[in-house]
Amino acid sequence: MFRVGVDLGGTKIQSVLLNKDNRVLANDRRLTPHDSGPPGVAQAIAGSVTQVIKKSKVATADVVGVGVGSPGQIDKRAGTVSHAGNLPDWDQTFPLGIELAAQIDKPVDLGNDVQLAVRAESELGAGANLNSFIGVFLGTGIGGGVIINRKEWLGRGAAGEIGHMIVNQDGPSCPCGRFGCLEAYAGRAAMEAQARAWQDTGQKTILFDIMKRKKRERLTSGVWAKALKKHDPMATRLIDRAVTALSVGIASAVNLLDPDGVVVGGGLGIRLGQPFLDRVVQETTPLMISRERPPQFAVASLGDLGGAIGAGLLPLD
Amino acid sequence: MFRVGVDLGGTKIQSVLLNKDNRVLANDRRLTPHDSGPPGVAQAIAGSVTQVIKKSKVATADVVGVGVGSPGQIDKRAGTVSHAGNLPDWDQTFPLGIELAAQIDKPVDLGNDVQLAVRAESELGAGANLNSFIGVFLGTGIGGGVIINRKEWLGRGAAGEIGHMIVNQDGPSCPCGRFGCLEAYAGRAAMEAQARAWQDTGQKTILFDIMKRKKRERLTSGVWAKALKKHDPMATRLIDRAVTALSVGIASAVNLLDPDGVVVGGGLGIRLGQPFLDRVVQETTPLMISRERPPQFAVASLGDLGGAIGAGLLPLD
């Protein structure tokens, strides 16, 4: 029962090959191409799948299926992905599942990237011993998930949007078009936009120097981590703001749901790790109704591979 | 299977007698005594139970049990209520279930007042056709409940505190000791405190005149309704503020849980009714991720009796 799981993101494509015990036998990571539209992305995924199978030394014939976690709107039955704003030229609907299945000659299942990362943490990661938890995944945006009785609660399909809990209605504009969402404070894209705006008014920061030195075009999680380590005042201020907003959003969600735990993941959450989480816990605790018995807080333990591992569970359904 | 349900509140004791189809055969309403501590309250409940049975003309022997919904911390097994802040001299633990059972010679079950009101709406009221909903109950404070797959989700016991979702961390102080909770804007006690503070600075309002004319000591839901009808500027301003805060809190909860519905109840919610709910819907909709397919909004349909009816379900468990 070997399977490949692929986490498709705006920046990178991460693939893993899992054995029957869901252990990762091999992985492949490559940049998401931004110059050839959805067909180019499909081709890059096919290349990554072929490569991860090759690396694992498992016979291609023994791989039963491929799961892909994607942003945007997923139609699992039709095998399509629509409106994936972070992906290149992906405003319309593209038959990713069908294209990919044709190229690699394997069954392909699609799922929502964040939902799969939350599911992986619930089945195999930091949430494995929690009956209920709130997953908060910090990346370009903020995704989330709600686990109730060990199963992801999807509501009418779109539950888990903790990034669009409103932390302060008079707050900054959010990439979603509203104001003062958690993501407007603690999503990487929003933090970068704020940093650029402040730099344009003459405020100093080493964030963009680090970015250039790392040959990046965006403020990646690694750039933020480095700037914090160097005590850059603007990075520190933006992360402080993000911690405060996260505390308000998480406390509100905890007061509403009283879950067993809170799992913080995503590229930025994992990169900043336990010290960052400790600060979030410290600011969240006084805002909780049940502060004398707080939920367990944990960093997502599957790390960067969580999304791909979650995708690799899809062929088992 | 006749049962009595009692809703014990800071202001009033509401009792109903239910038949096997959960129809209300009789009801009794009286003020909660504030001069004789918890024993006085137990005695008043016993009086109300006796009265509602008498009114219903059901033989006392045919009443199988009594359920009581109470604020504060409930220990169902021990039959005790602790820390019921809204009740007189109830900072400690009082064996309400045992006292009452001794006085009326019937089995007594205790439950949380708001949880029971939410349960009643889910089983018999506005939520009866909803697989999932968020209940928002506006009274002295703001209580709530989360129905998931037709069952109340209690988390580790304290879920549903939508009143303590944080709408604005820099907002006014909340009776819970934190700042900017939804309840700090839209709970009756907080609105009254704000009205008094504004009046003390010389701002005019007819709120307290209406209160006195109605021989009340607090700004009851009826007082608010009347002041709004008379276009009192301060009442209008405070209710506008409450609507906005409710919209932010409800939208955050909806974005997190994507439920089938939202049910607004409690004394104030029911008194202000559909026109008030319409305003909440209007302000909430633009803040929702899935605004093109909003959840169903409804006023709690069991009205003032919901809490007592929910309590009357307890002896069936």
Side-chain angles (χ1 to χ4, degrees), chain A residues 141-190:
Chain A
I142 298 184
V146 177
I147 299 285
I148 298 274
N149 292 329
R150 295 201 173 272
K151 282 188 65 174
E152 190 159 22
W153 170 252
L154 299 178
R156 294 175 297 149
E161 290 285 4
I162 194 169
H164 301 285
M165 291 183 75
I166 298 149
V167 164
N168 175 7
Q169 209 189 357
D170 304 320
S173 71
C174 181
C176 76
R178 295 173 196 81
F179 291 88
C181 298
L182 174 51
E183 181 172 314
Y185 292 93
R188 223 167 37 206

Side-chain angles (χ1 to χ4, degrees), chain B residues 188-211:
Chain B
R188 222 166 38 205
M191 289 198 295
E192 176 168 340
Q194 185 63 68
R196 285 190 194 278
W198 281 342
Q199 197 189 38
D200 287 348
T201 68
Q203 294 182 51
K204 297 275 176 249
T205 178
I206 59 171
L207 276 163
F208 298 101
D209 303 324
I210 298 171
M211 179 186 87

Side-chain angles (χ1 to χ4, degrees), chain B residues 54-75:
Chain B
K54 195 172 158 193
K55 274 193 190 175
S56 73
K57 304 206 163 84
V58 165
T60 304
D62 292 339
V63 174
V64 297
V66 176
V68 179
S70 169
Q73 254 173 266
I74 315 295
D75 187 328

Side-chain angles (χ1 to χ4, degrees), chain B residues 7-28:
Chain B
D7 183 17
L8 169 59
T11 310
K12 58 171 180 51
I13 293 164
Q14 170 74 59
S15 300
V16 294
L17 187 134
L18 304 178
N19 71 5
K20 68 177 192 330
D21 302 318
N22 295 313
R23 280 199 31 216
V24 176
L25 300 192
N27 81 75
D28 176 79

